[in-house]
Amino acid sequence: MSTNLTLQQLRVVVAVHEAGSFTAAAEQLLVAQSSLSRTVAEVERRLGAPLFERTTRRLEPTPAGREIVAAARRAVDAVDAEMRHVEGYLAGRTGRVRIATLPSLAAILLPGVVSAFRAEHPQVELSIEDALSDEVLERVRGGLVDLAVTVVSQTPDPLDGLTVTPVATDRFCCVVPPAHRFAGRDVLSWSELAGEAFIAFDRTTSIRQHVDASLAAAGVTPRQVVAARNIAAVAGLVAADLGVSVVPGLVLPLMRFAGVRHVVLDEPAAHRTMAVVRAAARPLSPIATAFVAALTDPALTRPELPEQARWLDAT
């Protein structure tokens, strides 16, 4: 006895049982009745037991046939279910997208995109992991995530082996206590920050790296009072009148709770760029490709961004 049956043989057994005759089953499967009969006979030979017996009206399964039909149906249903999953995956209807990003981007840039994407792809699982900029890139390189949405510098970064697609930009602003002399201004020059009591971000943050570069380019050295890593902490320290700070536009909504004011920095204007980053040598799944399009394709509707931030058209 051999139970090494093919999927097609199992389908035939199920079809004959459900149709109740070789003729009807052959019509459903679009095969010749003689071919179908030979298939059932081969299955019976391999199993060493008859599967069906003919009554006056239809074929009825033998006791062994009932067991085989039940097992065949479970196997066929399982294979069909898995193949439907594969078809959905290849068509970009199902799957999982793992995204690494900065905390501020996870809170402000991505939610509207994710909401719209989920409405179009309800069966897709999205995983968003927030981390510092260096950690974000390492997760992409290590294959722990499919892609990253992060800040890239205007100067060359160690991005070897990564594909970078800019998606948005925002402008740096000075945040000040409500009673500060800068609070009523519309525009502020970087030079006016010289000697100002300053709340800096921790050196591990991408904001600190951009702000330090802009201050250095302007030849400005503020009087640093304290440094903090968390956006909310910086907002609270500024609100307590300990000093001013500089933040990118996408961060401003996260500071509203503290009641701080913001003034656009000019002369020169300073911007940062957000981008989708992925491993160049690692193909994206169809659904991950669709998510990248939701971020980068100007033909698709992208949610409105806060003041001092805007989407970029991919080139």
Side-chain angles (χ1 to χ4, degrees):
M1 179 182 71
S2 171
T3 57
N4 186 22
L5 303 177
T6 67
L7 180 62
Q8 182 58 27
Q9 288 172 327
L10 296 178
R11 290 191 187 278
V12 166
V13 169
V14 172
V16 170
H17 175 263
E18 292 180 346
S21 74
F22 287 110
T23 302
E27 291 175 354
Q28 292 175 6
L29 297 176
L30 301 177
V31 298
Q33 180 178 335
S34 58
S35 173
L36 186 142
S37 298
R38 286 195 298 271
T39 298
V40 173
E42 175 62 17
V43 172
E44 291 176 326
R45 185 190 68 78
R46 291 192 178 192
L47 297 176
L51 301 184
F52 301 101
E53 56 184 4
R54 184 176 295 279
T55 66
T56 55
R57 294 186 178 181
R58 57 181 284 136
L59 291 178
E60 294 292 344
T62 63
R66 282 192 291 270
E67 292 296 320
I68 297 303
V69 167
R73 182 178 285 114
R74 289 193 296 270
V76 169
D77 288 347
V79 170
D80 287 346
E82 290 300 323
M83 292 311 298
R84 286 193 296 272
H85 173 77
V86 170
E87 289 171 0
Y89 173 86
L90 294 175
R93 296 190 302 270
T94 63
R96 181 184 183 193
V97 185
R98 300 164 301 172
I99 306 154
T101 190
L102 305 180
S104 60
L105 305 190
I108 303 298
L109 183 73
L110 288 181
V113 176
V114 170
S115 178
F117 189 78
R118 285 280 297 152
E120 293 291 328
H121 304 84
Q123 300 180 65
V124 173
E125 179 185 353
L126 291 172
S127 172
I128 298 177
E129 306 174 10
D130 62 290
L132 296 178
S133 55
D134 290 344
E135 297 170 346
V136 164
L137 295 180
E138 285 307 309
R139 291 182 189 185
V140 173
R141 288 192 173 96
L144 300 177
V145 296
D146 300 299
L147 55 95
V149 181
T150 188
V151 173
V152 292
S153 174
Q154 294 180 345
T155 58
D157 277 340
L159 298 175
D160 294 343
L162 299 177
T163 297
V164 179
T165 306
V167 297
T169 184
D170 60 357
R171 187 173 184 174
F172 280 89
C173 300
C174 182
V175 288
V176 302
H180 195 279
R181 69 183 187 283
F182 292 160
R185 299 274 295 275
D186 293 324
V187 179
L188 194 67
S189 68
W190 288 87
S191 61
E192 291 178 90
L193 298 180
E196 193 72 27
F198 195 78
I199 311 300
F201 280 84
D202 186 270
R203 293 185 182 277
T204 60
T205 65
S206 62
I207 293 177
R208 173 66 178 268
Q209 296 165 16
H210 279 75
V211 170
D212 280 358
S214 295
L215 289 171
V220 174
T221 305
R223 179 168 52 86
Q224 182 172 319
V225 174
V226 66
R229 175 172 170 175
N230 185 274
I231 292 170
V234 171
L237 293 168
V238 171
D241 206 16
L242 292 174
V244 304
S245 190
V246 173
V247 301
L250 274 178
V251 166
L252 293 174
L254 299 176
M255 293 185 153
R256 286 176 184 157
F257 77 95
V260 296
R261 304 287 190 269
H262 74 272
V263 185
V264 172
L265 280 165
D266 210 341
E267 299 179 13
H271 299 80
R272 66 172 185 170
T273 301
M274 281 69 72
V276 174
V277 180
R278 64 181 184 87
R282 189 180 304 120
L284 290 177
S285 68
I287 195 59
T289 300
F291 185 79
V292 171
L295 280 165
T296 60
D297 190 346
L300 300 178
T301 301
R302 293 177 290 188
E304 185 177 351
L305 294 179
E307 183 184 4
Q308 308 304 333
R310 63 181 178 87
W311 292 105
L312 297 173
D313 293 343
T315 57

